[in-house]
Amino acid sequence: MQISDDTKAVVQFLNEFTKGNLRKVNDLEYIFEIAATYGGNDELNRLVFAGKSVWNIASKLKKVVHGTEGIELLEKELLRNINEMVRFLRKISEFAEIDVKKRFDDIYFPETSGALKNLIDLGHDLAVFKDIQSQSRRQEL
């Protein structure tokens, strides 16, 4: 899949902002490029929102001692947002080339712990994007 210079520049900026700590650089490029090419801005925005939620909740769950009161609610919310991410990734990947679609099918869509970790990593990258988006909007006001 051909990635535009604009998309590469956005992802490169995000990666520099995180000091090289993006976790799914190539997949982020695919997602942004597909959304830009096929008018998937709504799906992208929903994916970004769900991804940020996944990252925030997963980060909180790492710090919580198992058996803590209310942990079930966090776990339930994490799964709900994971399902949202998968739903919007599937929508976006419908427009992908076969090799990218297969990659997403293999990496993000199986119901495995590995796919869950990949979704959380993608959530990290989407959270960075959302944070920069929010910061940019605040500066415009």
Side-chain angles (χ1 to χ4, degrees), residues 7 31-41 44:
T7 299
I31 291 165
F32 288 168
E33 187 68 27
I34 293 165
T37 303
Y38 297 102
N41 290 337
L44 178 60

Side-chain angles (χ1 to χ4, degrees), residues 119-132:
L119 286 162
I120 291 170
D121 284 346
L122 181 61
H124 167 270
D125 295 355
L126 294 170
V128 170
F129 178 69
K130 181 66 176 165
D131 290 344
I132 290 173

Side-chain angles (χ1 to χ4, degrees), residues 87-104:
R87 187 172 126 216
F88 291 112
L89 270 176
R90 283 188 193 280
K91 284 187 177 193
I92 291 169
S93 72
E94 287 175 8
F95 298 100
E97 294 177 2
I98 292 172
D99 59 330
V100 175
K101 188 171 174 43
K102 181 171 179 4
R103 175 174 170 74
F104 282 22

Side-chain angles (χ1 to χ4, degrees), residues 6-18 21-25 27-29 31-33 35-36 40-53 55-56 92 121-138:
D6 289 342
T7 299
K8 286 180 182 179
V10 168
V11 174
Q12 181 179 355
F13 172 78
L14 293 173
N15 204 28
E16 288 171 3
F17 181 83
T18 64
N21 286 324
L22 286 183
R23 298 169 181 200
K24 298 290 182 184
V25 173
D27 294 342
L28 209 54
E29 286 181 345
I31 291 165
F32 288 168
E33 187 68 27
N41 290 337
D42 184 52
E43 289 83 2
L44 178 60
N45 285 331
R46 290 174 176 225
L47 175 63
V48 168
F49 185 81
K52 179 162 175 63
S53 295
W55 177 249
N56 288 344
I92 291 169
D121 284 346
L122 181 61
H124 167 270
D125 295 355
L126 294 170
V128 170
F129 178 69
K130 181 66 176 165
D131 290 344
I132 290 173
Q133 240 184 0
S134 297
Q135 182 180 3
S136 175
R137 286 187 183 136
R138 282 191 302 270

Side-chain angles (χ1 to χ4, degrees), residues 43-107:
E43 289 83 2
L44 178 60
N45 285 331
R46 290 174 176 225
L47 175 63
V48 168
F49 185 81
K52 179 162 175 63
S53 295
V54 163
W55 177 249
N56 288 344
I57 295 167
S59 296
K60 284 182 178 132
L61 282 172
K62 276 185 177 179
K63 299 172 187 173
V64 174
V65 176
H66 289 287
T68 302
E69 186 176 330
I71 195 170
E72 301 84 20
L73 293 174
L74 278 176
E75 290 171 339
K76 186 176 179 180
E77 190 64 16
L78 177 66
L79 290 177
R80 188 184 71 73
N81 282 285
I82 287 285
N83 288 332
E84 284 289 296
M85 277 186 75
V86 168
R87 187 172 126 216
F88 291 112
L89 270 176
R90 283 188 193 280
K91 284 187 177 193
I92 291 169
S93 72
E94 287 175 8
F95 298 100
E97 294 177 2
I98 292 172
D99 59 330
V100 175
K101 188 171 174 43
K102 181 171 179 4
R103 175 174 170 74
F104 282 22
D105 286 345
D106 293 345
I107 292 177

